[in-house]
Amino acid sequence: MIMTRLSLGTLLLPMLFAVACGGTGSKTAGIRDGGAGSGGATGSSAGATGSGGASDTGAASGGASGGGAGTVATSAGGTEARSGGTTSSGGGVAGNSGASGGRGGSGGGTTGSSGGTVASSGTASSGGAAAGNSGASGGRGGSSGGTTGSIGGTVVRGGTTSVGGGAAGNGGTTSVGGAVAGNSAGGSSGFAGSTGGAAGSGAGGIGGARDAGVAGAGGNRDAGSTSSGGTGGSTVSNCTTPPAPSPLIGWATASGSTTGGGNATPVTITTLAALQSAVKGTTAAVIYVKGVLAPGVVAIGSNKTIVGLCGAEIHGHMGINGSSNVIIRNIKIVGYAVGNCALDPSYSSATGCSSGDDAISIQGQSNHIWLDHDDISDGTDGNLDITHACDFITISWTKFHYSSARTDPTGSDSTGANGHRYSNLVGHDDGNASEDTGHLTITWHHNWWADYVMERQPRVRFGRVHLFNNLYTSVGDDYCIGVGVGANLRTENNVFVGVKTPIDTTGYSDATSAIRSTGNVYTGTSGAAPADLRASSVFDPASVYTYTPDDTSGLQAAIESGAGPK
């Protein structure tokens, strides 16, 4: 088989160079920092090809081609193919990330009239545009059709050829005809979006940004949006512009408001060190986080807005201590203890999981804090704890969970099989009345307590806490809402499904504890029936801020689809 491919490749080299004219696309030809090369002319009745892509930060646009387009010449600016799949006659070959390359490829034009699409390393049918890792409908690689020629395509590094075929990258083979595309052939591979070009009857636009581009004729990765491809297909990138927040409701609107970094010019960061630096101090800042950051500790100062882009993740511990006016939204926050508390650098086997860090902690009289559309999981001690006289806090549209049923087998504070999967604590100690009484004012709405959460959803001491329109599906739990010493809680229109003891009014309360519940829905629950305590002494949220609870009909579906980053 090797000898046959080599022989065919040897026979075809002269033909390929004669037809392609522009020569082989190369890494050096595609300028790495924003420049763009230009494609060569196409076949007998073809229009000019689209311009070549920049390889790291530049964007490119696909060109137009006439009916029956010839092969694409890539004498300047075409990036080489890598890890390509195979094609049959007339197909454009894609690499691991599709012809437009990268995590969120984009913007192909229309494909040939009889074109099929392929997934990574698969084959394309006659005339078809090739796709990336998840096929033409999107996923990691978007699709963009390469143009086809009468004989052969552009030769690039790696693969062998069969009769008339252009070479594919890194071991892929091609059949009759077809221009070859690689990780970002004809498109850019940086963070900018790009547009697909107009197409004739048999050619597709060539374009696509790596990482931030959106997919033409296909789906997107994470937050990237889709375009329809087709003639003159354009792209829109949600990897540069975050979704809008939900309306701010609750305690975070009281005694002033919560604006975070306000209208400060956003800065985008991609490393832990950059984030740690950007969130320091009190100067107003809007910080966009992109990518999955290395684990570490992030201490957040005042007047900050932190927003995730494109499925961003922060790992380790985030702390808000003595700060004010902070917004954290549209981001996944993962604690150290993914499946094992001992992964936390602060963990002590002499104590157990409670010796480690929360995924997020808010303490030290911090005030005016808003978390919106986040996903918070696997904190060692807790997922999100709020302690030490903090005030004016809203937690909205956020999912709390653990990735597994971890255990907490050793130490003086061991919780055994429960794994200290205790999600949210408000007020850290029964003996802290002198500091906490009259504080810990928090609204929780449209949040979702889900997989493997055992307790504290939340458990409250001293605070005036309002919980409305939340969802509880943490099956296997001990209890959901815990009414602790001095707590004053109002719960309404929450949905509890299959959980044990939705509201625990006996395990942690004292003679000053109070709770009033209305409109809650309990489906398949077990354990102690919910009951009010000193209901007449419960505060009235409507006297502090304006809100309208949603009806519980359809609420579970709305929260399951809407909570967490977008």
Side-chain angles (χ1 to χ4, degrees):
M1 178 63 70
I2 293 173
M3 290 300 294
T4 301
R5 291 179 176 175
L6 288 173
S7 299
L8 287 171
T10 302
L11 290 170
L12 287 171
L13 281 173
M15 181 182 300
L16 291 167
F17 280 101
V19 173
C21 295
T24 303
S26 68
K27 186 176 294 185
T28 56
I31 302 171
R32 294 194 61 83
D33 286 312
S38 60
T42 59
S44 59
S45 60
T49 62
S51 59
S55 65
D56 271 331
T57 58
S61 61
S65 60
T71 53
V72 178
T74 55
S75 58
T79 306
E80 63 194 305
R82 302 172 185 168
S83 302
T86 62
T87 66
S88 58
S89 64
V93 180
N96 278 345
S97 298
S100 57
R103 287 181 175 267
S106 70
T110 55
T111 62
S113 59
S114 59
T117 58
V118 301
S120 174
S121 299
T123 61
S125 60
S126 173
N133 281 345
S134 298
S137 60
R140 288 184 175 269
S143 65
S144 64
T147 59
T148 61
S150 58
I151 303 177
T154 308
V155 180
V156 294
R157 179 170 61 86
T160 60
T161 62
S162 58
V163 178
N170 287 354
T173 61
T174 62
S175 185
V176 180
V180 180
N183 280 353
S184 57
S188 66
S189 63
F191 296 116
S194 66
T195 60
S201 61
I206 303 175
R210 178 178 170 87
D211 287 334
V214 284
N220 53 28
R221 172 167 172 28
D222 298 325
S225 63
T226 63
S227 64
S228 61
T231 302
S234 62
T235 65
V236 178
S237 177
N238 283 343
C239 288
T240 56
T241 303
S246 59
L248 177 57
I249 301 169
W251 275 110
T253 66
S255 188
S257 191
T258 303
T259 58
N263 295 322
T265 301
V267 296
T268 299
I269 66 93
T270 59
T271 68
L272 173 64
L275 178 62
Q276 289 169 327
S277 177
V279 298
K280 289 180 179 179
T282 61
T283 302
V286 176
I287 301 140
Y288 291 172
V289 179
K290 192 170 184 179
V292 178
L293 306 192
V297 176
V298 179
I300 303 170
S302 298
N303 306 312
K304 303 294 186 288
T305 297
I306 302 170
V307 188
L309 298 176
C310 256
E313 297 182 17
I314 297 173
H315 288 242
H317 168 67
M318 298 184 74
I320 302 173
N321 190 352
S323 298
S324 62
N325 195 28
V326 175
I327 298 171
I328 303 173
R329 68 181 184 89
N330 202 57
I331 199 162
K332 185 173 184 179
I333 301 161
V334 183
Y336 285 114
V338 180
N340 184 358
C341 291
L343 296 173
D344 190 323
S346 300
Y347 172 79
S348 168
S349 60
T351 303
C353 291
S354 63
S355 63
D357 283 322
D358 303 319
I360 306 182
S361 61
I362 304 173
Q363 60 181 318
Q365 301 179 28
S366 295
N367 63 88
H368 292 95
I369 313 295
W370 181 24
L371 273 64
D372 181 57
H373 281 287
D374 297 312
D375 182 306
I376 304 175
S377 67
D378 292 309
T380 314
D381 184 23
N383 280 331
L384 167 62
D385 286 1
I386 304 171
T387 59
H388 293 284
C390 294
D391 276 314
F392 311 121
I393 298 171
T394 293
I395 314 296
S396 58
W397 291 100
T398 292
K399 182 178 180 179
F400 298 98
H401 60 106
Y402 294 86
S403 59
S404 67
R406 75 182 190 205
T407 60
D408 184 18
T410 63
S412 59
D413 198 27
S414 166
T415 59
N418 273 8
H420 201 82
R421 285 174 274 123
Y422 301 161
S423 188
N424 307 102
L425 185 65
V426 176
H428 75 290
D429 190 275
D430 289 352
N432 204 47
S434 61
E435 181 184 22
D436 286 343
T437 299
H439 298 287
L440 299 173
T441 49
I442 308 164
T443 301
W444 307 73
H445 73 87
H446 294 91
N447 301 294
W448 180 13
W449 283 270
D451 300 336
Y452 302 112
V453 179
M454 292 299 297
E455 300 180 5
R456 302 181 184 175
Q457 308 174 61
R459 175 182 166 186
V460 179
R461 295 179 175 99
F462 304 112
R464 286 178 288 167
V465 173
H466 183 202
L467 296 112
F468 73 93
N469 287 146
N470 297 292
L471 172 65
Y472 298 84
T473 63
S474 49
V475 176
D477 67 317
D478 288 340
Y479 70 87
C480 295
I481 300 170
V483 184
V485 170
N488 192 301
L489 285 85
R490 178 77 167 96
T491 81
E492 53 187 320
N493 289 31
N494 301 291
V495 175
F496 300 84
V497 182
V499 296
K500 179 181 178 182
T501 312
I503 302 174
D504 185 344
T505 58
T506 61
Y508 307 99
S509 60
D510 69 356
T512 66
S513 304
I515 182 170
R516 180 178 177 229
S517 298
T518 59
N520 294 334
V521 174
Y522 308 99
T523 302
T525 59
S526 61
D532 286 351
L533 292 174
R534 302 177 64 242
S536 62
S537 66
V538 172
F539 81 105
D540 179 11
S543 68
V544 183
Y545 50 82
T546 300
Y547 75 101
T548 303
D550 295 336
D551 188 85
T552 54
S553 176
L555 183 63
Q556 178 176 355
I559 293 176
E560 287 179 344
S561 64
K566 298 291 114 183

